[in-house]
Amino acid sequence: MIITIQHQLEKTLHTFDVISPDKLTSIEVWAICLEMNVSGILVNGKYYETK
């Protein structure tokens, strides 16, 4: 499934292909955070962060 996340400060849109937007895997979170240059993301009301 494709999700789109907007960077809070830069207002840029980033699109990612994930298995389930309601439960991201740690690999998906790591890859998304790396590409967006952030340490945490909010997806469908759930906060994820890299450790």
Side-chain angles (χ1 to χ4, degrees), residues 16-42:
F16 304 97
D17 189 14
V18 297
I19 297 169
S20 171
D22 295 321
K23 187 176 180 187
L24 299 180
T25 67
S26 58
I27 299 296
E28 291 171 334
V29 172
W30 179 82
I32 292 169
C33 288
L34 183 67
E35 183 173 323
M36 293 182 69
N37 196 29
V38 296
S39 60
I41 54 174
L42 185 65

